């Protein structure tokens, strides 16, 4: 299940990255998951968008 979900997430990320590349927008992301990696219920995400006009 993990492999299937991670492949799907990777495809979605690649689509978003392709669109952002068209507009020369980059980002930095820092994610911290709950210590229980089997069932992460809490996640802390820090997203910084660069080159946004």
């Amino acid at each position: 299940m993990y492999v299937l979900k991670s492949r799907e997430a990777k495809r979605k990320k690649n689509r978003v990255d392709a669109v952002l590349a068209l507009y020369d927008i980059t980002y930095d992301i820092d994610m911290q998951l709950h210590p229980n990696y089997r069932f992460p219920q809490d996640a802390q995400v820090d997203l910084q968008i660069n080159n946004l006009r």
Side-chain angles (χ1 to χ4, degrees):
M1 191 65 148
Y2 170 80
V3 172
L4 295 176
K5 288 191 177 220
S6 65
R7 284 182 189 163
E8 180 181 351
K10 180 74 171 176
R11 278 194 300 270
K12 289 180 181 180
K13 180 188 176 302
N14 288 340
R15 289 180 191 160
V16 170
D17 287 346
V19 171
L20 293 177
L22 293 174
Y23 295 96
D24 194 29
I25 297 173
T26 59
Y27 63 91
D28 296 315
I29 190 166
D30 180 32
M31 293 185 356
Q32 295 178 352
L33 298 176
H34 185 273
N36 185 355
Y37 294 107
R38 293 181 92 189
F39 304 104
Q41 298 174 0
D42 296 324
Q44 181 177 358
V45 179
D46 181 27
L47 176 66
Q48 182 178 9
I49 301 174
N50 308 318
N51 304 338
L52 189 60
R53 299 179 216 174

